[in-house]
Amino acid sequence: MSDTTARAIPDRLESRWTTWLKSWEMLLVGVVVFVFAVNAYASPYFLNAWNLSDATFNFTEKAMIAMAMALLIIAGEIDLSVAAIIALASTLMGLALQYGAGTPELVMIGLGVGLLCGAFNGLLVTGLGLPSIVVTIGTMSLFRGIAYIILGDKAFTGYPADFAFFGQGYVWWVVSFELVLFLFIALIFGVLLHATYFGRMVYAIGNNATGALFSGIRVARVKFILFLLTGLMSGVAAVCLTSRLGSTRPSIAFAWELEVVTMVVLGGVSILGGSGSIPGVVLAALIMGLVTFGFGLANVPGIVMSIFIGMLLIGVIAAPIVWRRLRGESVG
Amino acid sequence: MISRFLKSREALLAGAIVLLTILIAIRFPAFVSAANLVRVFNDTSILIILALGQMMVILTRCIDLSMAANLALSGMVVAMLNAAMPGIPVPALIALAIAVGAILGAFNGIFVWKLNIPPIVVTLGTLTIFRGLVFVLSGGAWVNAHQMSDAFKAFPRAVFFGLPVLSWVAIFIVVLMTVLIGRTALGRAFYAVGGNPTAAVYTGIDVGRTRFVAFTLAGALAGLSGYLWISRYAVAYVDIAGGFELDIIAACVIGGISIAGGIGSVGGAVLGALFFGVIKNALPVVNISPFWQLAISGAAIILAVAFNARAERRRGRIILRQSEAAS
C-alpha cells in the first residue's frame, strides 16, 4: 500500500555475491537452519529419518497449491477458493466412488474438478473483470457449499486400497510419493516462472497490467491460465489429501487458503504483485512444515503453533523494514 | 432525489430483500409476522455492526481479516473476567470489551500505518495470532452459561419498546456511523483515502493515520460485538465466530462497498447484512436444509459483485476508457 516511493540511487552497484547474500531466500535459509537447530536441540525424536519424513506431510499438499498461488499473486491476483476446491473435488470423488469408480477415474475426477473450478474463477475474474479477492471469497462459499449440499454431515469412506498410494505410499525408503510429487511440481513451476517467456509475462502483468497489455501481452489469457493452474494444483492436493485421510468430509482442508497465502507471502512474494520467486516459497513451506512439526513433537497444540506462524509472517515482513528504518535509510 | 434513490444500489438491494421476503411469505405467511421479523433483525444485529466496521476499513482501500478473531478474543476476555469476578458491573465489562477490541484493531493499524505492510498480510497474521491467544488465555476451556452472571447474560436480551437491547445497539451504531461517515471530516477522509490516496495526501489528509483510525474503530466495534455475541449465546469458546470474517466482508460486498476503496454507504452495508440475515432465517422456514446456506450465500456474493462491477463501469472513468479505446 505504499503510495509514494523514494529510493536512494547507489553510487556503485553491489556485487552479485552481496546481492545474493542479502536476498530474501538467504534470510529464509537462515530461518530454516535456525528452526531445524532449535527442533534438533529441543526434541531427541526430531533427528530421525521417519519422523522427518512424517514432517513433510505437514506442508506438501499446501505447498503444491502454493506453487501455483505464487504465480497468481505475482500476476496481481489471488485465489481464496483453493481449500473449497479441495472440498468439492474430494466430495465428487467420494460420490463417484459410490457409483463404483476405480482409482484412475477418481484421480481424473479430482484433477478435472480442480480444473473446472479454476476455469470458473478465471472466467469470472478475466471475463467479467471482477476483483479476484471478492470473486474467490464468493466461489469459496459456493464450492464448499455444494460439497455440504452433497454430503451434509456425512462422510465418504472406503476408498480402494491402491488409491491410498498417492497420500500414504513411499517411493524409496522414507521418501514419500507426496514429497517426490511436490519436488517435481516445484521444479516445473520454478522453470515456468524463472526460465520461460510465460514467466516473464507473469512478472510483467504483476508490475503493470496496463503496460503489459500495451506491450502485446494477452493479460486476460495469462491470468486465466494461472487460475486454471491454481485449480489444477488444488485438484492434485485433493487427490493426495483424500488418499492420505482415506475419507471425505465437507469440512476437509478447512481454512487452508490462509495457510497457502501465508506460505506464499512468507516466501517473499509481494501481495501487491510483481515480485517473488519459487525457491523462496519452497523454503517458506519448509519453514512452516518444520515449525508445526517441531511444536507437534513438543506437544504444543495446533492453535498455539498458529500464533507463531502469524508472528513469523508479520515479523519476517516487518523485520527488514524496521532494520532499514533503524539504519536511517528511506523506505520504499 | 426520489428517482435517484430508486436507481441506487441500496434501493435495488432493498427491493431484492422485500421480494425475497414476499416470496417466502406467499408460501409461509408466518415468516412476515412482526415477531419473526424482529427476530430476523435481532439475529442479524451483530453482523450489521461488524459490517459497518469492515466498511470503514474497506473504504480506505484496506481489508481486515482479523475481525472475527478480534471478536473472539475480546469476548473471551470479558467472559473470563465475568466468570472470575461476577461483581464487576456490566457497563464496565462492555467498556473493557470495546477497549480490548480497539487495542487489537490499533495493532493492525499501526503495522499498516508505520511499517507500510499490506493490510491483507497484517490481518492474516493477526487473525491467527488473536485466535491462538484466545486458546492460550482460556486453555481451550469453555466459559459456560452457569459461570456467567445473570446481569451479563440479561443485557442484550432485555426488551425495550418491543425490541431487544441487542437490536437497539445495532440501530444506535447505524445512526452513529451515518453521522460519522456522512457528517464528519473523518468520514470524508475515509472516502478520500480510498478513492485516491495520492490526491488525499495533497489535500492534507494523512493517509496512514486515517487508515489507522479506521482499523481502530473497526476493532472497537469487533470488541463490542465480542461482548454481545458471547452474552447473547451465553457461551464462550475458542472457535466462536470461526470463519465469520468472510461473512462480514461478504455482507459489505453484497451491500455494494467496492473492495477497491472509496465507494460504499452505511445503508448498503446494513442491507447487505440484512440480505444475509433473511436468507439464513428463511432456509429452515422453507424446509431447505441449512447445508444449502453456504452455497446460496456464495452465489449471492458472486451475483452482487458482478452487478456492482457493471454499475461502477457505467459511471466513472469515462476519460480513461475513451483514451484506451482510442489507442
Side-chain angles (χ1 to χ4, degrees), chain A residues 1 3 128 130 134 138-142 145 148-149 152-153 258 262 271 301 303-304 306-307 310-311 313-314 321 325, chain B residues 61 111 114-115 118-122 124 127-129 132-133 135 197 238 246 253 259 291-292 294-295 298 309 313:
Chain A
M1 292 285 149
D3 303 310
L128 298 176
L130 308 177
V134 188
T139 53
M140 167 186 176
S141 300
L142 184 66
Y148 268 104
I149 293 173
D153 52 2
L258 297 179
T262 305
I271 198 92
I303 188 143
V304 177
S306 68
I307 299 184
M311 286 183 359
L313 175 68
I314 298 181
I321 301 174
R325 279 276 163 86
Chain B
R61 216 180 259 191
F111 275 100
K114 291 296 180 191
L115 295 181
I120 190 167
V121 177
V122 174
L124 193 60
L127 151 72
T128 57
I129 294 174
L133 286 177
F135 179 87
V238 175
L246 296 173
V253 168
I259 207 87
F291 293 122
W292 279 74
L294 206 54
R313 201 175 295 172

Side-chain angles (χ1 to χ4, degrees), chain B residues 219-305:
Chain B
L221 289 180
L224 173 67
S225 306
Y227 163 74
L228 291 172
W229 184 299
I230 277 165
S231 59
R232 177 170 191 232
Y233 297 105
V235 63
Y237 53 94
V238 175
D239 282 333
I240 220 150
F244 207 63
E245 53 273 342
L246 296 173
D247 285 23
I248 303 166
I249 296 166
C252 287
V253 168
I254 292 178
I257 290 150
S258 166
I259 207 87
I263 301 170
S265 70
V266 172
V270 173
L271 289 168
L274 277 177
F275 186 77
F276 250 73
V278 170
I279 288 180
K280 198 173 181 173
N281 281 278
L283 287 179
V285 178
V286 297
N287 281 331
I288 295 175
S289 126
F291 293 122
W292 279 74
Q293 193 197 323
L294 206 54
I296 291 176
S297 56
I301 295 167
I302 295 168
L303 284 175
V305 67

Side-chain angles (χ1 to χ4, degrees), chain B residues 105-171:
Chain B
F107 190 71
N108 288 328
I110 209 99
F111 275 100
V112 172
W113 179 18
K114 291 296 180 191
L115 295 181
N116 245 328
I117 305 179
I120 190 167
V121 177
V122 174
T123 56
L124 193 60
T126 51
L127 151 72
T128 57
I129 294 174
F130 295 166
R131 192 64 78 175
L133 286 177
V134 184
F135 179 87
V136 172
L137 195 68
S138 65
W142 293 38
V143 180
N144 289 309
H146 64 89
Q147 291 165 277
M148 297 174 186
S149 71
D150 287 334
F152 185 85
K153 286 179 287 184
F155 178 74
R157 298 155 205 253
V159 176
F160 281 102
F161 303 109
L163 277 183
V165 168
L166 178 59
S167 297
W168 284 115
V169 173
I171 291 169

